[in-house]
Amino acid sequence: MENKVIILGAGIGAMTMGFENAGCSVVAAYERDRRAIELYKKNISGEINELDQLGTSNLEDVPDIDILACDFYRDLSIVGRNPKNTTDINNAIQFILDYRKPKIICFFIPRACLKWEKFVQLLGNINNRGYDYKYTEQATGLPITEKRVYLVAIHRSLGDVFEFPCFDEITICFTYLCKGKGLQANRQY
């Protein structure tokens, strides 16, 4: 059975591609930036909705899901310009948690977000709804490196304990880049 995913902050489709490559089905994607929505439509064959359309009045239209994924990394730059947006995305997350009760939540966030009052409140709400979460920092991006926080929350009813894998991103990137070039993909460069 493939896991069904909703993505908030879908951007131009990179996270959708990642989940689909992992064997998941992205059943709904939401984005605030209209330019990103247009690019998403060019990159991904699936439908994308404006984040503002997600609210309590249309939650019956939100499909059943196993995973809620949120890319706060880009969206928080938008949030910074309008404090109301923080409330909007927190409300959207809480609506989905209450109405669809996903088994797993994945957040991709800037490190500074862990100290923001609204985000700390969101984490408390997630915990109160029966989720245990863990997070880790990883450097991302080549050639520019930046720290990103990956947060995973699993509903307690599953009884699973999640551990982040250890990986060497440079090795992974080189493995990907070496495919199709006749190079040994498992060799350390």
Side-chain angles (χ1 to χ4, degrees):
M1 180 175 96
E2 72 183 355
N3 288 309
K4 296 177 187 172
V5 183
I6 286 180
I7 299 176
L8 303 181
I12 64 171
M15 191 183 312
T16 297
M17 286 188 244
F19 275 108
E20 288 176 347
N21 285 339
C24 297
S25 173
V26 176
V27 295
Y30 295 87
E31 174 57 48
R32 178 170 285 132
D33 185 330
R34 292 181 193 270
R35 293 169 300 176
I37 289 171
E38 292 306 313
L39 288 170
Y40 185 99
K41 289 176 181 178
K42 290 178 181 178
N43 293 330
I44 305 294
S45 61
E47 184 180 330
I48 185 165
N49 305 290
E50 289 188 29
L51 185 59
D52 298 339
Q53 295 173 349
L54 183 61
T56 55
S57 62
N58 64 345
L59 280 176
E60 63 277 354
D61 297 334
V62 174
D64 288 330
I65 59 169
D66 302 298
I67 301 170
L68 171 61
C70 306
D71 188 347
F72 285 101
Y73 208 80
R74 271 185 342 86
D75 272 350
L76 283 177
S77 62
I78 297 167
V79 167
R81 285 180 252 161
N82 184 353
K84 178 186 177 291
N85 292 345
T86 304
T87 302
D88 291 347
I89 199 153
N90 282 359
N91 287 341
I93 291 167
Q94 291 178 55
F95 293 150
I96 292 171
L97 294 180
D98 289 343
Y99 196 72
R100 290 300 177 199
K101 298 177 179 36
K103 299 171 191 165
I104 298 170
I105 304 167
C106 301
F107 288 164
F108 309 100
I109 56 178
R111 181 181 357 178
C113 197
L114 295 172
K115 298 176 185 175
W116 292 5
E117 181 182 343
K118 291 279 188 184
F119 193 76
V120 171
Q121 289 172 353
L122 177 63
L123 292 179
N125 290 334
I126 288 170
N127 187 273
N128 292 339
R129 285 172 168 79
Y131 293 87
D132 291 322
Y133 61 87
K134 291 184 179 182
Y135 59 88
T136 187
E137 286 184 32
Q138 293 290 328
T140 62
L142 289 174
I144 299 169
T145 302
E146 57 189 355
K147 290 281 188 173
R148 184 177 269 213
V149 174
Y150 298 89
L151 183 142
V152 174
I154 297 179
H155 200 272
R156 289 183 199 107
S157 66
L158 296 177
D160 288 343
V161 177
F162 176 80
E163 296 297 330
F164 284 96
C166 293
F167 66 92
D168 176 357
E169 185 176 27
I170 294 173
T171 300
I172 291 171
C173 289
F174 273 107
T175 299
Y176 176 78
L177 292 172
C178 292
K179 285 184 177 180
K181 297 187 191 276
L183 301 173
Q184 291 179 313
N186 61 354
R187 182 175 164 199
Q188 296 278 339
Y189 291 92

